[in-house]
Structure formats: structure tokens, C-alpha cells
Amino acid sequence: MNRYLLFVLLSICCLALGGIFVKLSQFPAITTGMYRVLFSLPIFFLLTKVNKYEYVMNSKEKMIAICAGVFLALDLILWNISFSYTTVANANLLANLVPFTVIPISYFIYKEKISREFILGGGIIFIGIIVLMGGKVNPTLNNFKGDGLAILTSIFYGLFIATVYKLRTKVSTIQLMSYASIGCLIILLPVSLILEGIYIPYTFKDFYPLIGLALLSQILGQGGLSYCLGKIKASYASLLVLTQPVISALYAYFIFNENLSFKEILGMFIILVGLYIANKKK
């Protein structure tokens, strides 16, 4: 087995832990997201100092990356809040609908073509979402609110990716994430203070979910996956990424005893098939 495929799987396992740590956090959702970024920021900048990159970002590129961080902050706010209303599995799955923001933007702004596979996959995913949201064991208004927040999460993460799309050919992921993290904190810090108040970690129980989010989800998960994408075929990586909601569901089942109905499992399967088709190359 190609060692980079193993690295991708390990990175996805780390990413899938994000929802678990959010649920385990002693702090409110937005504050938890703020600490995730705050604790990872010095590590990203340290990595930029250790790894001397040939390309140096100019002021305009830094501002674009910071603006992208604003979208990433909105993504974290909505995603973290969604775990209070819906299951870890649903929140992770619906937050993966990023291509349906990125590809239309690429079509209208970057003049890239939309494939027939994307249109077909989109139709299948729409059916899957209807099955998923209609298959809850004990449906409540909060369940649907959580699913809706998770879908909005995918839109803002898609806007983040679309914003930095042109920078990625010249700028490394670590460089981008360093300045994007600044943009994140510009939003997350005041919003968390205004809406949730001041929360300072003191005990191990306070710290470990926040450190876990920063190290495992933000750095090893997102950073590891970005590194591996340059080492293996994108088709392999896209297929493996689709395992993240399944891994999240397994985590949630064993840790929080979150059960899914047959219709929810069927809806998840339909969405995964649609995502795979939509991501296939023309």
C-alpha cells in the first residue's frame, strides 16, 4: 500500500475527531472554535519559520488569505453550533458538500466548465439529503436546524477554498493557514466574547478538547491531508475523503452512543455516492 494513502487515512481520522472534541468541550461552540484557531496559530507560524519557502507572500496575497480566514471563521461558528442540534455523523456529512459552492463559483468567476458528472452527482445528493433529513428516529425542529447549519457550513468553507484557489499555485498550505488563522481570530475572538462571554481554560478537562482540536483536527488533519494531496492522485484522495462521515459516525456511536436510523444510513450512502460521482473528472 502506498504510504501516502495511509497518511491520507490517518489525516481523515484526525479530521473526523473534530466533532467529537467540540462535543467534549466544556466551553460554548464559538469559544471552542476560537481556541482551536488560537492554539494552532503559533504552530503554523513556527512551521513557516522552520521551513524556509522560496516564495514570499506579498501584501495583497496576505490580505486575501486573511479575508479567506473570515469565511473559515464563519464555517467554524456554524459547524460547531450544529453539533448542539444534530448528530456528529450528519454534521460532518452535510459540511462536506463543499463542491456545490466551489464549482459554481469556479464556473462563473474562473470560467471553468461544469461537468455532467457534477450535475448528476448534485441531483443524487439532493435526493440523499431529503432521505437523510426525513429519516430521523425522533425528528425535532432542532434536528433540522442543526442539519441546516451544517449545510451553511459547507457554503462558507467552499467560499474559503474559492478565495484562496488562485494562491495555491504559488503559496504553501502552511503559509496560507498562518494568515487565514489571523482572519479567523479577527472574527472569532470578538464574536465569542460578545455572544458567549469570557471563558479561560484552567483544568485538564478544559484544555484537552481544545488542544485536540488544534493539534489533531487543525494541524495533523487539515495540514496532513493538504500535504498528501500533492503526493497521490486526486481521484484516490477524493474517494478516501468520503470516508470521513463514516468514521465520524463510528466515533459518535462508541463515544456518545449516537444511533442512526436505517433511512439516515441510506441517506448518507446516497449522498456519498453523489459526492463521489460529482467529484469524478470529466
Side-chain angles (χ1 to χ4, degrees):
M1 182 180 183
N2 187 319
R3 68 178 185 276
Y4 292 112
L5 293 179
L6 179 60
F7 290 162
V8 170
L9 283 173
L10 291 174
S11 298
I12 291 168
C13 288
C14 290
L15 280 172
L17 284 169
I20 304 299
F21 284 124
V22 170
K23 285 228 171 189
L24 291 173
S25 175
Q26 304 300 303
F27 297 156
I30 302 174
T31 301
T32 297
M34 185 272 293
Y35 276 114
R36 167 179 173 162
V37 177
L38 182 64
F39 289 162
S40 64
L41 179 61
I43 299 175
F44 276 126
F45 271 102
L46 179 63
L47 289 173
T48 61
K49 298 298 182 183
V50 172
N51 298 289
K52 299 296 183 180
Y53 297 102
E54 293 183 6
Y55 185 82
V56 179
M57 296 175 68
N58 58 42
S59 298
K60 181 180 178 181
E61 290 166 341
K62 290 177 181 177
M63 285 305 302
I64 292 173
I66 290 172
C67 289
V70 172
F71 291 128
L72 191 58
L74 295 173
D75 153 59
L76 286 174
I77 289 171
L78 295 170
W79 191 57
N80 284 10
I81 294 174
S82 72
F83 290 112
S84 300
Y85 300 103
T86 191
T87 63
V88 171
N90 284 13
N92 273 287
L93 178 64
L94 296 173
N96 270 332
L97 302 179
V98 171
F100 296 91
T101 299
V102 174
I103 293 180
I105 290 176
S106 298
Y107 175 77
F108 289 107
I109 296 178
Y110 301 130
K111 307 303 179 183
E112 296 179 353
K113 293 181 179 179
I114 294 180
S115 67
R116 287 176 295 180
E117 288 84 356
F118 174 78
I119 296 172
L120 175 60
I124 294 173
I125 285 173
F126 181 72
I127 294 170
I129 290 174
I130 293 174
V131 174
L132 174 70
M133 297 183 71
K136 300 183 184 303
V137 179
N138 297 304
T140 65
L141 184 60
N142 278 343
N143 294 154
F144 296 114
K145 179 180 179 180
D147 289 347
L149 289 171
I151 291 172
L152 285 175
T153 295
S154 74
I155 293 174
F156 282 108
Y157 190 56
L159 289 172
F160 163 75
I161 291 174
T163 303
V164 301
Y165 176 70
K166 292 300 182 182
L167 293 180
R168 287 185 172 180
T169 56
K170 297 185 292 184
V171 180
S172 74
T173 300
I174 292 175
Q175 287 174 305
L176 279 173
M177 288 303 298
S178 297
Y179 288 96
S181 295
I182 295 174
C184 271
L185 286 176
I186 289 172
I187 300 298
L188 288 172
L189 186 57
V191 170
S192 65
L193 291 175
I194 293 170
L195 297 183
E196 298 176 341
I198 300 174
Y199 290 86
I200 299 174
Y202 292 105
T203 66
F204 174 76
K205 195 173 182 180
D206 293 337
F207 268 106
Y208 84 85
L210 307 178
I211 298 296
L213 279 168
L215 293 179
L216 294 176
S217 299
Q218 190 81 346
I219 296 172
L220 293 180
Q222 192 63 57
L225 182 61
S226 299
Y227 171 76
C228 292
L229 286 176
K231 303 295 183 179
I232 65 172
K233 291 183 179 179
S235 57
Y236 293 161
S238 64
L239 181 59
L240 291 171
V241 166
L242 297 183
T243 64
Q244 181 182 336
V246 179
I247 295 170
S248 299
L250 290 173
Y251 285 156
Y253 176 77
F254 287 108
I255 298 174
F256 301 118
N257 197 28
E258 285 188 358
N259 294 307
L260 298 173
S261 70
F262 172 76
K263 285 187 70 176
E264 284 183 297
I265 294 172
L266 177 62
M268 289 179 68
F269 177 76
I270 293 171
I271 292 172
L272 289 173
V273 171
L275 276 170
Y276 173 68
I277 293 173
N279 279 290
K280 287 179 68 175
K281 291 185 178 180
K282 300 187 289 294

